[in-house]
Amino acid sequence: MLHSLADWLSHLESLHPQTIALGLERVTQVKQRLNLNPTFPIIMVGGTNGKGSVCAMLESILHAAGYRVGCYTSPHLLSYNERVRIGKQPVGDAELCASFDKIEQVRGAVPLTYFEFGTLAAMQCFIAHKIDVAVLEVGLGGRLDAVNVFDADCAVVTSVDMDHMNYLGDTREKIAFEKAGILRTGKVAVFGDMDVPDAVRVVAKNVGAQLQCLGEHFSFTAGKQQWNFKGAANSNNQNADTQHAGTRSALPYPALRGAFQLNNASAALAALDAIKDQLPVSMDAVRRGLVEITLSGRFQVIPGRPIFILDVAHNPHAARALAKNLADMSQHDVSKRGKTFAVFSMLKDKDQVGVVRALAKKIDVWLVAGIDAVRGATAAEIAAVLQGEGISALSFVTIAEAVQSACNQASENDRIVAFGSFYTVAEVMRARKLRDK
């Protein structure tokens, strides 16, 4: 048996020849050998962007309601343990190692990927702790993603846009078909964006899922200080403070910043309404859960001057959201009188041009660096993309050096935004000695 979590993670990385290998056959074989048959409700969350936010909201609200919540997300920022949480606390190294060891003992010649190994280990931990509900984030796509080996009592697809096209398809409809693979017969499926792809509707009809879409079956209205949610079920119930009410009024804004977080929060509340008979949630729990959410790297503003913003935005859809958030911030923040510095780095298989174009008008100074990973782009490659868009950039060997240069150049009325990848944000957090929330 390997002795440390670091040793196990190195071992997992070496087991399968591909970092990403979609398909359920391998993970299904090992799941059956482990006899992993959860009896608790499962909420599965997929989509292009917003998955992590919706998972964090569900976890926080259900925790505030007194339930023992298991939450499995990816990727992590600073430590692998962030991926597997019970009661909002990361599972310890020893327990993860023990779970990995059980999987290793039964998998035989089945070459599980890193993510498949981690998914099975997370479910082992959840079953061992007898949790009340699991929130599972899809890693990539949905139909052939390892988490889909488990059946969701409610599936959430947050949004669909162009990303992972090498694996999911080169059109939004093809990608939507893959994302909708987590829908189940007779169960509610929540779609958290008003632009619903036809493929989602077709899959829902074919499998017999109860599709509920933002703007059609549930909605929200926003005020200056509060917002209101109108759900699909029992929306005519006049007592908004009962556990089964479909309408929830005078809600506090989520602790997560950003223009799209009310879409995400509405999707989370619609999902909770879908399982309310199994897990009722009070208005008080919803309110406390919304204000107690923590999630690093999603338009995360670090206190101080200059303003420092972390955002994992790694595709054009997320970059457009970041651009809007920066614009909204400028309307009421002192930073509007200063410059915006970008610490920017991406993976080479992502749409770098699309991200740059989405943010070009919001950035004054670009500082780029490479990512030290198999899929990481070099500083020269990123600078070449910027040059192709008519933008000059300062290049650095490491992200930490780019951060230091930005800090040296920026005045207190400027702002620094670090974005482009989970790797980018993680390296900035290490450079700034920030802890994961």
Side-chain angles (χ1 to χ4, degrees):
M1 175 179 174
L2 299 170
H3 295 293
S4 72
L5 181 57
D7 288 342
W8 268 110
L9 296 178
S10 295
H11 177 60
L12 303 191
E13 289 173 347
S14 68
L15 286 179
H16 197 282
Q18 295 173 271
T19 303
I20 299 171
L22 297 177
L24 298 182
E25 182 180 348
R26 297 179 306 275
V27 71
T28 297
Q29 288 182 52
V30 183
K31 169 185 176 286
Q32 291 171 344
R33 294 175 190 176
L34 291 164
N35 194 30
L36 294 181
N37 300 301
T39 58
F40 41 77
I42 293 174
I43 305 175
M44 194 171 294
V45 183
T48 303
N49 293 302
K51 299 190 298 290
S53 295
V54 171
C55 287
M57 291 174 182
L58 289 168
E59 178 186 29
S60 186
I61 293 170
L62 287 164
H63 179 81
Y67 296 111
R68 191 165 178 78
V69 185
C71 191
Y72 176 59
T73 61
S74 63
H76 60 275
L77 284 170
L78 299 180
S79 69
Y80 184 89
N81 311 64
E82 298 166 28
R83 297 183 181 220
V84 187
R85 301 186 297 276
I86 297 174
K88 295 185 77 173
Q89 297 299 314
V91 169
D93 287 11
E95 187 168 357
L96 287 171
C97 290
S99 290
F100 291 149
D101 187 55
K102 290 177 184 176
I103 297 168
E104 183 76 345
Q105 289 179 29
V106 304
R107 73 175 179 86
V110 180
L112 294 177
T113 67
Y114 182 97
F115 184 75
E116 289 168 343
F117 227 108
T119 300
L120 294 173
M123 187 56 72
Q124 277 193 127
C125 293
F126 295 161
I127 292 172
H129 281 267
K130 298 180 180 180
I131 63 171
D132 298 312
V133 56
V135 178
L136 306 181
E137 180 184 356
V138 172
L140 194 158
R143 184 175 65 92
L144 299 176
D145 187 81
V147 301
N148 203 35
V149 75
F150 302 104
D151 291 322
D153 292 84
C154 177
V156 180
V157 178
T158 57
S159 63
V160 175
D161 213 283
M162 307 303 287
D163 198 15
H164 297 296
M165 291 176 284
N166 291 343
Y167 299 97
L168 305 181
D170 57 0
T171 69
R172 187 168 182 262
E173 290 297 330
K174 290 179 181 178
I175 294 171
F177 172 77
E178 297 295 334
K179 302 284 186 186
I182 64 175
L183 276 56
R184 291 295 189 271
T185 302
K187 304 296 185 181
V188 171
V190 175
F191 191 78
D193 193 355
M194 293 187 186
D195 186 7
V196 187
D198 290 338
V200 172
R201 298 187 191 276
V202 170
V203 171
K205 182 178 180 180
N206 288 345
V207 304
Q210 302 171 32
L211 183 63
Q212 297 181 3
C213 302
L214 178 63
E216 297 177 29
H217 306 92
F218 64 96
S219 60
F220 66 88
T221 56
K224 289 185 177 181
Q225 303 296 328
Q226 298 174 323
W227 67 287
N228 305 311
F229 169 79
K230 184 176 181 180
N234 298 325
S235 59
N236 60 349
N237 192 323
Q238 298 301 307
N239 183 2
D241 205 43
T242 65
Q243 292 180 332
H244 297 282
T247 298
R248 300 181 185 269
S249 303
L251 295 170
Y253 275 79
L256 304 180
R257 299 178 61 152
F260 289 92
Q261 293 300 354
L262 289 188
N263 291 48
N264 294 331
S266 296
L269 293 183
L272 292 175
D273 274 352
I275 61 168
K276 65 190 176 187
D277 291 338
Q278 298 162 282
L279 300 170
V281 174
S282 69
M283 278 295 295
D284 179 63
V286 171
R287 291 189 175 109
R288 285 193 295 117
L290 287 172
V291 299
E292 292 172 1
I293 302 164
T294 57
L295 186 64
S296 296
R298 277 69 165 188
F299 202 67
Q300 179 184 356
V301 180
I302 309 300
R305 292 289 177 185
I307 292 173
F308 213 110
I309 302 160
L310 304 178
D311 200 305
V312 296
H314 58 274
N315 55 48
H317 184 261
R320 291 192 295 271
L322 174 56
K324 186 179 188 310
N325 290 338
L326 290 172
D328 291 345
M329 187 182 197
S330 294
Q331 292 178 7
H332 54 78
D333 196 277
V334 68
S335 64
K336 65 184 178 181
R337 297 197 296 269
K339 295 180 179 179
T340 299
F341 291 77
V343 175
F344 178 51
S345 193
M346 287 187 68
L347 298 177
K348 57 189 173 186
D349 55 5
K350 294 291 186 177
D351 184 359
Q352 298 175 15
V353 173
V355 169
V356 169
R357 287 177 178 173
L359 283 154
K361 294 181 179 179
K362 298 293 183 287
I363 306 299
D364 299 299
V365 181
W366 293 79
L367 303 92
V368 303
I371 291 177
D372 185 17
V374 174
R375 296 163 56 207
T378 66
E381 289 169 336
I382 297 170
V385 169
L386 286 162
Q387 186 175 12
E389 296 299 309
I391 300 170
S392 60
L394 302 172
S395 296
F396 300 86
V397 175
T398 68
I399 292 170
E401 291 173 348
V403 170
Q404 187 59 55
S405 179
C407 291
N408 291 342
Q409 294 182 61
S411 69
E412 66 174 23
N413 287 336
D414 294 332
R415 61 185 177 187
I416 302 169
V417 55
F419 66 95
S421 169
F422 278 83
Y423 289 98
T424 309
V425 170
E427 286 303 314
V428 173
M429 291 177 72
R430 292 188 184 97
R432 299 279 292 174
K433 294 182 171 57
L434 301 172
R435 292 183 178 181
D436 181 57
K437 288 188 175 183

